[in-house]
């Protein structure tokens, strides 16, 4: 699977999704990510969707599921990099992703996670 | 659509609608055909989906948000696609199949 | 139709171009199509002359082929000149009817000369007048179409400008944007507002946006829905949305309508919203201690 990659960054897991991701890739990602969260004992997951031009109800549902799975494994999920057109379309579809945290970019997400105490260690701001 | 100078938002909206319908055709309609049309009006693009699957018994209900035949689905696909497309028509006969026609706007506004 | 259908017309145009031009302008004056206050006599004459020249060339080529069609290649010159002149006159405030009347006035000098030429050949005269008449009518209509197209362009441009003006996204502080909404909020405008707001969030990397509805006349269920959707989209982008300027009246209507704002933060005044927004980006406003106005 090349369409998505999971990196360990600053004690959290960064999931980067590319634009050519397929449905089966996404389902595979769900499996892979659950294992990684459990193994790494991370408290935070960041899903970068800035490459996605389209997020339909299926992808939206998977994002919500990822969040729910991560939460059961004691990790909070941040979705970052959503494009304006995608945000407007999701709202039109009635998908507000209420359980996901959101942030503009990875940096913003890391900042938010630090202040929420999800990242251990010394905060950059302090 | 990009070639026709459509705005990003219009593209995203319409392609999402297309994706919803294609997914429906694949899961419920046992696959099908998708035809893309250049319409006489240069500011529009037309897409037609034809499947010969189970069909939809009650189209009105199927278009309602939150209605779904499956358990882990949100049931927002069909109604959402209708809202996202410029025009949307659906014809369905139980056990015969479903035809969905949509148009998208390709203008700057 | 014979191939020499416009023979006489062409002949007349060749023999007495100058006379036709003078008579045409006189006729147009009489019909009230001339607006000397808007363009000089000299200018009007030059324009008429170039139209007449293009008309003659078009007639020449058409008479070879026989059929009249305004879209034909031989009329390209005349079409170009017509739209150029029409364009110029619109800018000076000439009315579309006047421009059409000006073109139509060409009939009188042309037809009187043709009837002299074709004396005693009534059927041929009628046949030829029919064709020429059709052509001149088509040109008069064409000038009207040019007028309409110009107007539409102007309307389109103004509409664009208005939409842009009506959705001013302002950066209040680093990472803090505000969008003061004024007037009515219909679906089209709501979409426009949402789009420019989200775009601005990306461009300025904003973390908080304040949507101020002090200037919004009425908030019904639909407007409330638009506001909530905007807030939802802002959240999906990763920023926070505060709705400010909710008057007591609007608050009452919203409750009566059963609008649930959910997790969207609302503030009565933009002042409170700003304080709130600044706090969340780690900035505070305070009075200057030594200032004589700080009331020590």
């Amino acid at each position: 699977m090349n369409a998505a990659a999971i990196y360990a960054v600053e004690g959290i897991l960064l999931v980067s999704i590319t634009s050519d991701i397929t449905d089966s890739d996404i389902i595979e990602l769900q499996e892979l990510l659950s294992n990684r969260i459990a193994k790494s004992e991370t408290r935070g997951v960041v899903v970068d969707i800035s490459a996605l031009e389209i997020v339909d109800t299926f992808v939206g549902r998977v994002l919500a599921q990822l969040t729910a799975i991560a939460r059961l494994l004691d990790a909070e999920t941040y979705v970052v990099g959503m494009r304006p057109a995608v945000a407007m379309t999701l709202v039109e579809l009635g998908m507000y992703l209420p359980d996901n945290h959101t942030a503009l970019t990875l940096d913003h997400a890391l900042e938010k996670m630090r202040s929420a105490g999800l990242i251990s260690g010394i905060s950059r701001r302090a | 659509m990009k070639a026709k100078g459509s705005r990003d938002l219009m593209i995203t909206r319409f392609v999402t609608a297309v994706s919803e319908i294609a997914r429906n055709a694949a899961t419920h309609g046992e696959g099908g055909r998708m035809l893309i049309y250049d319409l006489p009006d240069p500011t529009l693009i037309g897409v037609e989906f034809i499947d010969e699957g189970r069909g939809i018994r009650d189209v009105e209900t199927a278009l309602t948000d939150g209605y779904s035949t499956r358990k882990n689905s949100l049931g927002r696909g069909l109604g959402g696609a209708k809202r996202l497309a410029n025009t949307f028509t659906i014809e369905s006969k139980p056990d015969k199949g479903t035809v969905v026609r949509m148009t998208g706007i390709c203008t700057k506004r | 139709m014979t191939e020499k259908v416009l023979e006489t017309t062409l002949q007349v145009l060749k023999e007495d171009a100058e006379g036709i031009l003078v008579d045409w302008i006189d006729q147009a004056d009489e019909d009230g199509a001339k607006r000397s206050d808007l363009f000089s006599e000299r200018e009007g004459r030059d324009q008429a002359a170039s139209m007449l020249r293009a008309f003659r060339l078009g007639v020449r080529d058409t008479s070879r082929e026989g059929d009249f069609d305004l879209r034909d290649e031989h009329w390209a010159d005349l079409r170009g000149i017509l739209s150029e002149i029409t364009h110029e006159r619109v800018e000076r405030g000439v009315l579309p009817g006047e421009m059409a009347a000006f073109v139509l006035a060409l009939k009188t000098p042309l037809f009187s000369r043709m009837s002299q030429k074709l004396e005693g050949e009534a059927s041929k005269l009628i046949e030829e007048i029919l064709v020429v008449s059709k052509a001149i009518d088509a040109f008069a209509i064409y000038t009207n179409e040019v007028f309409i197209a110009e107007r539409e362009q102007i309307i389109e441009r103004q509409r664009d400008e208005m939409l842009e003006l009506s959705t001013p996204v302002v950066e209040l502080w680093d990472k803090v944007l505000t969008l003061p909404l004024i007037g009515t909020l219909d679906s089209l405008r709501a979409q426009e507002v949402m789009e420019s707001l989200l775009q601005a969030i990306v461009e300025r990397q904003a973390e908080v946006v304040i949507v101020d509805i002090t200037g919004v006349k009425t908030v019904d269920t639909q407007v409330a829905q638009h506001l909530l959707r905007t807030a939802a989209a802002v959240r999906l982008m990763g920023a926070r949305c505060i709705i400010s300027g909710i008057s007591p009246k609007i608050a009452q209507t919203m409750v009566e309508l059963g609008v649930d704002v959910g997790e969207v933060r609302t503030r009565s005044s933009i002042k409170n919203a700003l304080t709130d927004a600044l706090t969340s980006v780690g900035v505070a406003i305070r009075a200057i201690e030594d200032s004589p106005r700080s009331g020590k």
Side-chain angles (χ1 to χ4, degrees), chain C residues 3-269:
Chain C
E3 57 192 63
K4 295 195 170 167
V5 64
L6 290 168
E7 191 186 18
T8 318
T9 321
L10 186 58
Q11 212 178 338
V12 165
L13 282 166
K14 267 185 188 158
E15 283 171 6
D16 194 13
E18 197 57 29
I20 293 174
L21 180 61
V22 172
D23 288 357
W24 178 18
I25 291 169
D26 285 352
Q27 185 63 44
D29 281 357
E30 225 171 89
D31 295 349
K34 188 185 137 184
R35 295 279 300 265
S36 50
D37 51 327
L38 293 170
F39 52 97
S40 74
E41 209 162 298
R42 173 76 191 277
E43 237 180 319
R45 204 189 128 87
D46 287 351
Q47 288 177 346
S50 60
M51 273 195 257
L52 200 60
R53 214 174 304 123
F55 182 65
R56 199 187 77 206
L57 292 176
V59 168
R60 192 191 67 199
D61 294 344
T62 306
S63 77
R64 267 192 228 134
E65 294 200 1
D67 232 359
F68 169 75
D69 187 346
L70 183 62
R71 284 162 300 181
D72 275 353
E73 193 49 41
H74 358 286
W75 297 110
D77 269 0
L78 184 56
R79 282 200 311 265
I81 290 170
L82 275 175
S83 46
E84 201 177 299
I85 293 173
T86 310
H87 171 79
E88 202 180 304
R89 293 194 179 183
V90 179
E91 298 218 317
R92 297 191 201 184
V94 174
L95 298 174
E98 289 168 342
M99 185 63 201
F102 177 70
V103 172
L104 289 172
L106 176 60
K107 282 184 183 179
T108 315
L110 210 52
F111 291 174
S112 68
R113 280 172 178 75
M114 283 160 68
S115 67
Q116 278 168 21
K117 275 258 183 249
L118 291 172
E119 220 177 345
E121 294 176 75
S123 69
K124 191 158 187 247
L125 177 65
I126 289 170
E127 194 190 322
E128 202 160 327
I129 282 184
L130 263 177
V131 178
V132 178
S133 187
K134 198 175 132 192
I136 295 177
D137 289 350
F139 291 128
I141 293 169
Y142 181 74
T143 61
N144 238 329
E145 283 169 0
V146 174
F147 255 106
I148 293 167
E150 297 262 332
R151 286 279 152 86
E152 268 172 8
Q153 262 180 23
I154 293 171
I155 292 170
E156 180 80 4
R157 205 177 55 225
Q158 287 176 339
R159 210 188 73 110
D160 284 0
E161 280 166 6
M162 221 172 66
L163 276 173
E164 239 164 69
L165 282 177
S166 64
T167 55
V169 181
V170 186
E171 189 167 22
L172 275 182
W173 198 263
D174 289 346
K175 305 175 197 168
V176 180
L177 298 180
T178 184
L179 174 71
L181 286 177
I182 291 162
T184 48
L185 198 65
D186 58 13
S187 300
L188 182 71
R189 229 192 117 205
Q191 173 119 337
E192 204 77 32
V193 164
M194 204 195 279
E195 211 180 337
S196 50
L197 184 61
L198 298 190
Q199 201 55 51
I201 290 175
V202 177
E203 278 162 17
R204 320 265 179 90
Q205 292 287 298
E207 288 178 11
V208 192
V209 299
I210 301 169
V211 177
D212 185 66
I213 60 166
T214 310
V216 176
K217 277 193 209 126
T218 49
V219 175
D220 55 12
T221 326
Q222 224 192 347
V223 173
Q225 285 306 334
H226 286 319
L227 288 172
L228 294 180
R229 282 169 165 215
T230 306
V234 167
R235 194 192 76 87
L236 282 175
M237 298 279 304
R240 222 161 58 94
C241 185
I242 303 172
I243 297 175
S244 75
I246 296 181
S247 67
K249 193 167 158 262
I250 286 177
Q252 287 172 46
T253 353
M254 281 173 84
V255 171
E256 269 163 37
L257 292 169
V259 176
D260 180 14
V261 297
E263 287 178 30
V264 179
R265 182 75 64 102
T266 56
R267 284 284 179 268
S268 58
S269 70

Side-chain angles (χ1 to χ4, degrees), chain A residues 23 53-61 65 83-86 88-89 91-95, chain B residues 2 8-9 11-13 15-16 19-20 23 65 70 72-74 76-77 80-81 83-84:
Chain A
D23 288 6
E53 283 180 56
I54 307 292
V55 174
D56 63 4
T57 52
F58 172 77
V59 179
R61 197 171 74 232
Q65 276 172 10
R83 299 182 182 200
V86 170
M88 289 177 75
T89 306
V91 168
E92 191 89 8
L93 284 170
M95 301 205 65
Chain B
K2 239 176 208 159
D8 282 358
L9 175 63
I11 298 174
T12 303
R13 286 173 66 102
V15 177
T16 308
S19 166
E20 295 295 343
R23 221 182 272 287
D65 271 5
R70 286 169 307 154
N72 65 340
S73 155
L74 293 163
R76 292 189 191 277
R83 283 196 298 274
L84 291 172

